[in-house]
Amino acid sequence: MGDHPSRKGRVANEFTDQIFEAPLRNEILRDEVYCQLMKQLTDNRNAVSEERGWELMWLATGCFAPSTNLLRELMQFLRTRSHPIVTDCLNRLQKTLRNGTRKYPPHQVEAFEVESSTRAKDFCQNIANKLALKSPEGFSLFVKIADKVISVPEGDFFFDFVRHLTDWIRKARPARDGAAPQFTYQVFFMKKLWTNTVPGQDVNADLIFHYHQELPKYLRGYHRCTKDEAAQLGALIYRVKYGDNKQQLLNIPASLRQLIPADLVKAQSPDDWKRAIVAAFNRDAGKSRDDAKVDFLKIIYKWPTFGSAFFEVKQTTEPNYPEILLIAINKNGVNLIHPHTKDILATHPFTKISNWSSGNTYFHMTIGNLVRGSKLLCETSLGYKMDDLLTSYISLMLTNMNRQKRQ
């Protein structure tokens, strides 16, 4: 908590390991940790120390519960405090009571200092630093609450945003039986804008984020992909999962949906897919799992749909397009894609989009002149995400243009 002077800087989760390893092994020490935390969070006049104390309390409630004797005291302590993180501590404690004690101390990604004055941009920079990413550019925080996943504006105070979000959802969902609904939230850190993403340039970002974000979209069949490319990518996915272990190659026909895009699985027989994937796997003998992740990204990077957020919508304004349309928003603009052939029917660059709006059930966009331009009206429950992505990409584009002018 910083109360004891130390010349030595804190490295990753070095201190949290010291605090949590022993209590995870010895049940008797768990009460000691909670007693010390409650003591130091009572009448603590040092704001920095208090924030760090709440961070430790948050971590503790997700690792282990106190004894039955202390549980009531701890619950009472938490319920009588007004810090923004208290509700989450209570919810984490309930989950720990249900699911049991963790085996290991918190991962370094869990142990972030989030103070009342922490803005989303600072939070992103802290995470990028701890994970040794070259830059936080394009990354964003997302808060998942109820059935929505919402991006945190980089200039917002993190806890302000969470408070605003919980209040907004609480108003939208009236209380049942007189009890106000309780919401837990999860925070995700992900790549949002892929404007300057080139596989191989920031390998840590590729290994930790880019591969895992692109893989599900690939397997859902959103990209146009040849059978040869699919076999090559399937071999790389296999290598990421199993390394050089060839035993699982026998099970390829039964696990094709984990290796091949959904729309291509039936393009040839399972045995033909197996032969093609095994041949590609053998060509890359000796390649590491990490290399396989980067190579996977390098192949997809060549496609015009790399780094896209995809939305399946129902459109009602353009008779020449299919009613069900796949929309991909990426660095090139808004792409309208035929859901079956994967043909890109149109690409609308951000510079041509003059207006857009969204609601609970729709997304609306005007291309070209506000009066005489063409309009696209879509039925979708994800209009808020499309709206936010468009706003963010255009904001980044304008920022880059202004930067170039100043240079």
Side-chain angles (χ1 to χ4, degrees):
M1 289 169 69
D3 297 329
H4 184 71
S6 171
R7 293 177 188 168
K8 188 178 164 190
R10 300 194 296 173
V11 181
N13 41 333
E14 176 190 355
F15 284 6
T16 51
D17 281 357
Q18 288 179 24
I19 293 167
F20 292 110
E21 274 178 350
L24 285 169
R25 288 195 305 268
N26 303 299
E27 193 174 340
I28 197 167
L29 293 174
R30 294 170 196 168
D31 281 5
E32 180 67 20
V33 167
Y34 279 115
C35 285
Q36 290 293 344
L37 282 171
M38 286 189 282
K39 178 183 174 185
Q40 289 188 251
L41 286 170
T42 301
D43 296 329
N44 189 336
R45 292 181 176 83
N46 183 328
V48 173
S49 169
E50 186 180 22
E51 289 297 339
R52 289 177 178 172
W54 279 113
E55 181 188 347
L56 284 172
M57 179 67 85
W58 186 87
L59 290 170
T61 53
C63 283
F64 49 76
S67 68
T68 311
N69 292 338
L70 188 65
L71 181 61
R72 185 184 295 178
E73 299 291 333
L74 176 62
M75 300 283 268
Q76 182 65 16
F77 174 85
L78 291 172
R79 286 180 181 134
T80 55
R81 296 303 185 273
S82 58
H83 194 277
I85 215 170
V86 162
T87 304
D88 210 26
C89 288
L90 282 163
N91 289 326
R92 281 166 66 84
L93 187 57
Q94 293 294 348
K95 281 186 183 175
T96 301
L97 288 165
R98 281 198 307 272
N99 301 331
T101 301
R102 288 259 296 261
K103 290 182 180 177
Y104 302 103
H107 184 274
Q108 66 183 59
V109 179
E110 296 174 73
F112 285 111
E113 293 171 23
V114 187
E115 301 175 0
S116 301
S117 59
T118 300
R119 294 186 188 273
K121 189 175 183 178
D122 306 325
F123 202 165
C124 288
Q125 183 69 62
N126 292 345
I127 297 172
N129 291 345
K130 281 201 176 180
L131 298 179
L133 306 184
K134 288 193 173 173
S135 165
E137 185 188 337
F139 283 93
S140 184
L141 291 173
F142 294 83
V143 173
K144 183 179 190 298
I145 185 166
D147 57 350
K148 294 213 176 334
V149 180
I150 298 176
S151 169
V152 186
E154 63 174 23
D156 279 21
F157 290 114
F158 177 72
F159 284 124
D160 269 0
F161 180 82
V162 171
R163 174 61 192 263
H164 171 72
L165 202 54
T166 47
D167 286 354
W168 171 63
I169 289 184
R170 194 169 280 121
K171 284 173 188 167
R173 302 184 182 208
R176 290 181 185 172
D177 304 325
Q182 293 298 311
F183 295 105
T184 58
Y185 64 89
Q186 292 172 292
V187 183
F188 296 91
F189 177 72
M190 294 186 290
K191 177 59 74 75
K192 177 183 179 184
L193 306 179
W194 299 68
T195 306
N196 299 313
T197 306
V198 180
Q201 283 192 354
D202 186 346
V203 174
N204 274 4
D206 288 340
L207 302 182
I208 302 169
F209 296 100
H210 300 154
Y211 174 80
H212 297 285
Q213 285 186 236
E214 287 296 277
L215 178 62
K217 295 181 273 187
Y218 168 72
L219 291 176
R220 285 186 197 118
Y222 288 150
H223 301 279
R224 174 181 255 178
C225 176
T226 66
K227 285 196 290 186
D228 285 346
E229 287 171 322
Q232 193 179 353
L233 289 163
L236 292 169
I237 297 167
Y238 178 94
R239 191 172 292 279
V240 172
K241 280 175 172 284
Y242 304 112
D244 283 327
N245 182 349
K246 293 189 173 184
Q247 289 181 318
Q248 296 299 323
L249 290 171
L250 298 171
N251 298 327
I252 282 177
S255 58
L256 273 181
R257 291 189 178 275
Q258 296 171 33
L259 302 171
I260 300 295
D263 60 328
L264 283 184
V265 167
K266 294 184 178 173
Q268 57 187 6
S269 73
D271 283 338
D272 285 341
W273 275 123
K274 178 185 168 186
R275 272 191 289 275
I277 292 170
V278 169
F281 179 80
N282 288 333
R283 281 197 300 273
D284 288 337
K287 191 185 293 271
S288 74
R289 294 182 185 206
D290 286 353
D291 287 343
K293 285 183 179 181
V294 176
D295 284 357
F296 173 93
L297 292 167
K298 284 180 175 176
I299 293 172
I300 293 185
Y301 177 71
K302 298 171 187 170
W303 302 344
T305 43
F306 170 76
S308 296
F310 293 94
F311 303 91
E312 294 180 54
V313 304
K314 182 179 177 183
Q315 68 89 22
T316 54
T317 44
E318 181 48 76
N320 295 326
Y321 295 160
E323 185 180 42
I324 301 300
L325 199 60
L326 187 60
I327 292 182
I329 300 177
N330 60 30
K331 64 181 181 182
N332 302 318
V334 179
N335 305 269
L336 311 183
I337 300 172
H338 194 292
H340 304 306
T341 67
K342 302 298 182 297
D343 288 335
I344 296 180
L345 306 171
T347 297
H348 301 299
F350 298 120
T351 50
K352 301 291 185 189
I353 298 168
S354 51
N355 191 36
W356 65 94
S357 60
S358 64
N360 287 336
T361 57
Y362 73 89
F363 174 77
H364 180 259
M365 183 174 78
T366 305
I367 302 105
N369 185 286
L370 265 175
V371 179
R372 294 188 300 277
S374 60
K375 292 177 170 50
L376 183 71
L377 181 60
C378 308
E379 285 182 35
T380 174
S381 61
L382 298 176
Y384 71 98
K385 279 191 176 181
M386 298 171 75
D387 191 327
D388 176 56
L389 264 176
L390 212 51
T391 303
S392 299
Y393 265 116
I394 289 175
S395 173
L396 181 63
M397 180 186 73
L398 294 173
T399 301
N400 290 339
M401 284 166 61
N402 289 335
R403 193 178 294 145
Q404 286 167 2
K405 279 181 189 174
R406 287 198 299 271
Q407 289 172 351

